[in-house]
Amino acid sequence: TTENLFSIAMISLNNIWIVGHHGMVLHSTDGGNNWVMNNTLSSEQLNSIAFKDNRGYIAGNNGTLLQSNDYGNTWQPVSLSIIDDLFSLSMTESNTQLLAGQANEEYVAYFADEIYKTEDDSTWTNYYVPNFMDIGVANLYFLNDNVGFYLDAAAAFCNCSHMNIFKTTDSGQTWSISYQASTYNSNSPFFSGFSDLIFVNDTIGYAYVSSKFFKTINGGSSWLSTSKKDFNFESFTIYPNPSHGNTINLEFSNPATSDFTFEISNISGKHVFSVERIENGPINISSLENGLYFVTILDDGKFIGSEKFIKSN
């Protein structure tokens, strides 16, 4: 297909789904080696697909919502009695939540201020979300039934732009700022176009907007900006881990070429220790209590890499 493809969902390593423009649905049962195309379910732009076990949803423009209870073998339309565009589905153990607003046909911008939620795949309720400077929400991700995030971003006429990440810990009843970023550089603005939020586990998550990456290693308590090139960062090792003492050793895969900063945060995300101009060798951690910690390596304030370690005397 030459259609734009907007969202991917993997039920397993072999069972993969993709949706896109003009009702495009692609399905692979062999890990992506071969694909079956289906564009008969809808003629609308399909913005997001998500699965939780056998349950699945596809969300699209003009109120298009499709549901499956058999791993996508069959799909049935769901009516929310709205004409808003639906995008950015998020499914957890008990809840399904999705953004409703306006999705530009050229996939340039998303503007949403409302979330629809179901706990039983039958009854849907809606609630409005706060958005900074009326930017409009662009992406939604729930880590579990209670903890969720949404991202908004936009450029303004002042040659400035803003990006915000909001967080909820009560399933969307209340939201608070998790991260804010602004730029007055017209060459690298934040736009409300394609964006993404995803978590690898309870602590490590990524946000992407306008070719910029952001990473959290403490469940969204704080975020660090990074860039595409930083994903090829120089790897490092912390040993012994667990420490079994008051010293850990830091070893880079190659001799360090920059004056790195070494930071340690506790499980709550609070910075508890830092060393400037770090190099290979031992680090005294006698001031730390026993427990789990996160190590972050920074180069001139920019995220390079992270690891976790346990101090255990």
Side-chain angles (χ1 to χ4, degrees), residues 16-29:
I16 310 170
W17 292 81
I18 298 177
V19 296
H21 211 201
H22 293 142
M24 180 57 60
V25 178
L26 298 172
H27 183 212
S28 174
T29 58

Side-chain angles (χ1 to χ4, degrees), residues 7 13 33 42-43 46 101 125 150 160 171 177 185 189-190 192 197 201 217 222 226 229 249 285 290 304-305:
S7 181
L13 289 177
N33 292 310
S42 173
S43 60
L46 302 179
T125 58
Y150 72 77
C160 58
S171 194
I177 285 284
N185 184 350
F190 297 114
S192 57
L197 274 168
N201 51 39
I217 59 172
S222 61
T226 179
K229 68 181 181 64
N249 292 281
I285 57 170
N290 290 350
I304 297 298

